[in-house]
Amino acid sequence: TTGYQSVIFREMVNYTGHSSLTCLATNRHGRAIKTCHGRIGSSPQFAVKEVNTTVEEGKTYALKCQIVRGDFPPVSISWFEDDTEKKEWNNITIRWLKAKLEFNSIRFKCSVKNNCGREIKIFYQYVTA
């Protein structure tokens, strides 16, 4: 009689989104193994969603959009200052600014999105004399 047996092993997808699928086929004449590797897409995630900092006037400080997960599919980054998009900052992950006392507090937002979702990080910057 002729017959066949096939077994599929699916490994767990790890946090980086990599996965592999292995197919093992056997019969009375032998066996064949085929492994395929792929990436699983995920929405972006930040290490921290909200950051409040106080900066002394005239000092330089950094706004960082640090993505810890979800770089596949590729992401696009948009920055907002008090809900106004700063198009010249787009696709920059770190932005350096000088604190000005005339803006006692400013709210910045970093929006990161890809085909799997969107994440927003909010920064409140308080300036002191």
Side-chain angles (χ1 to χ4, degrees):
T1 63
T2 59
Y4 66 91
Q5 175 187 13
S6 65
V7 179
I8 296 176
F9 301 97
R10 186 174 185 309
E11 297 178 13
M12 296 292 293
V13 176
N14 66 24
Y15 73 94
T16 59
H18 295 277
S19 179
S20 63
L21 181 66
T22 301
C23 178
L24 168 63
T26 61
N27 65 20
R28 63 187 173 135
H29 298 289
R31 68 184 198 159
I33 298 174
K34 177 68 177 173
T35 300
C36 299
H37 300 281
R39 289 185 74 179
I40 305 300
S42 64
S43 60
Q45 293 179 353
F46 294 113
V48 178
K49 283 193 179 186
E50 189 172 307
V51 177
N52 297 324
T53 56
T54 300
V55 182
E56 190 176 323
E57 182 182 23
K59 298 288 183 182
T60 302
Y61 60 96
L63 301 176
K64 296 180 184 179
C65 256
Q66 183 182 8
I67 304 165
V68 294
R69 189 174 189 176
D71 61 344
F72 182 81
V75 298
S76 64
I77 300 171
S78 301
W79 286 90
F80 299 84
E81 180 179 342
D82 289 330
D83 294 325
T84 302
E85 185 173 6
K86 306 289 281 184
K87 291 186 184 268
E88 66 274 14
W89 295 8
N90 286 352
N91 295 316
I92 296 173
T93 56
I94 299 176
R95 182 68 187 162
W96 292 92
L97 299 172
K98 188 170 282 230
K100 296 179 182 177
L101 193 56
E102 62 192 79
F103 307 114
N104 185 25
S105 70
I106 305 172
R107 183 184 67 168
F108 294 98
K109 288 192 297 187
C110 177
S111 172
V112 180
K113 66 180 178 178
N114 63 16
N115 292 342
C116 295
R118 178 178 170 183
E119 185 81 1
I120 294 175
K121 182 175 184 175
I122 298 174
F123 303 85
Y124 288 98
Q125 301 295 324
Y126 302 98
V127 181
T128 62

